[in-house]
């Protein structure tokens, strides 16, 4: 799920090697959405593995390089640690290496054992993935870096739609949440998620 920021996918390759696997063991790559920090290594991994790339239809042209992602706003300035991400997103820098999407996915589709949930708001085609009815991979719908919260301030393209998606994710009451930025949530997860709606 997602291929991180760098074009060469070195972090993912290093992890695969550390568990005794190679890129050839990859059969599918699924993207939560088409922001640079989530699709950077997709083209490299696809070349090395011949894996099928999946994302929502609303994100596919961005992944393929035919459209640019809608930029986030330049405000708010705080937290300062996020401002470089904000500026780079606004300027579409650095561009990612384009990669054709093999299959578009949407609500209630499955990729292997992952069930797809369409949770728009951060981007129009943002998706989350449920695994075994207890693990939820949420992309940028919920983050734990630089602090726990409902996405980064000002990064959601449609805040009202995002709030509906957030409520849906909270109502699932998953045991474990894998965010797009930061460590996973593994303890008292439903209770912690509920605080995001207050």
């Amino acid at each position: 799920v997602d291929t991180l920021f760098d074009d060469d996918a070195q972090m993912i390759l290093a992890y695969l090697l550390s568990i005794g696997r190679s890129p050839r063991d990859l059969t599918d790559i699924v993207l939560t959405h088409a922001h640079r920090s989530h699709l950077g290594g997709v083209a490299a991994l696809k070349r090395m593995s011949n894996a099928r790339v999946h994302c929502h239809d609303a994100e596919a042209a961005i992944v393929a390089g035919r459209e640019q992602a809608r930029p986030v706003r330049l405000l708010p300035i705080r937290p300062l640690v996020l401002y470089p991400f904000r500026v780079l997103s606004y300027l579409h820098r650095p561009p990612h290496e384009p990669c054709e999407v093999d299959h578009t996915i949407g609500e209630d589709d499955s990729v292997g054992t992952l069930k797809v949930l369409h949770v728009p708001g951060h981007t129009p085609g943002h998706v989350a993935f449920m695994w075994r009815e207890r693990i939820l991979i949420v992309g940028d719908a919920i983050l734990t870096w630089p602090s726990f919260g409902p996405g980064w301030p000002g990064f959601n393209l449609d805040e009202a739609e995002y709030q509906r998606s957030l409520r849906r994710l909270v109502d699932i009451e998953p045991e474990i949440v894998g965010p797009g930025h930061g460590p996973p949530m593994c303890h008292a997860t439903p209770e912690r998620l509920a605080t995001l709606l207050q």
Side-chain angles (χ1 to χ4, degrees):
V1 178
D2 291 343
T3 59
L4 308 181
F5 190 87
D6 295 329
D7 278 338
D8 57 13
Q10 281 302 310
M11 287 180 66
I12 294 172
L13 294 173
Y15 175 74
L16 288 172
L17 292 174
S18 77
I19 61 170
R21 300 290 185 145
S22 78
R24 286 286 176 197
D25 293 315
L26 295 176
T27 59
D28 296 277
I29 299 167
V30 292
L31 300 174
T32 58
H33 64 294
H35 278 166
R36 184 64 166 79
S37 58
H38 296 261
L39 57 73
V42 69
L45 283 175
K46 184 174 180 176
R47 273 194 308 276
M48 288 184 267
S49 67
N50 291 318
R52 296 177 299 274
V53 174
H54 311 261
C55 74
H56 192 277
D57 183 59
E59 313 284 310
I62 300 168
V63 177
R66 292 188 294 276
E67 293 179 11
Q68 287 188 330
R70 286 172 43 198
V72 300
R73 298 188 307 269
L74 288 175
L75 296 174
I77 292 175
R78 299 203 181 274
L80 287 176
V81 69
L82 298 178
Y83 208 68
F85 291 93
R86 193 179 299 281
V87 171
L88 290 173
S89 170
Y90 187 81
L91 298 174
H92 300 289
R93 293 286 179 259
H96 71 280
E97 182 180 351
C99 180
E100 287 298 326
V101 172
D102 298 297
H103 185 246
T104 57
I105 53 177
E107 183 68 26
D108 288 332
D109 285 339
S110 293
V111 181
T113 58
L114 297 177
K115 179 183 175 185
V116 179
L117 308 172
H118 184 214
V119 287
H122 179 65
T123 66
H126 194 291
V127 294
F129 300 99
M130 176 70 77
W131 187 52
R132 297 186 178 175
E133 302 302 320
R134 65 183 201 93
I135 298 175
L136 193 58
I137 303 166
V138 295
D140 285 357
I142 299 164
L143 301 173
T144 59
W145 180 89
S147 60
F148 170 60
W152 290 340
F155 276 76
N156 295 325
L157 297 178
D158 185 324
E159 191 61 36
E161 194 169 46
Y162 169 76
Q163 290 298 326
R164 289 189 291 273
S165 293
L166 177 61
R167 176 167 290 282
R168 180 182 181 201
L169 295 173
V170 171
D171 287 347
I172 291 171
E173 298 186 344
E175 292 180 31
I176 297 172
V177 168
H181 299 271
M185 299 173 59
C186 303
H187 304 289
T189 303
E191 294 80 6
R192 290 182 67 196
L193 292 180
T195 67
L196 299 178
L197 299 176
Q198 298 173 1

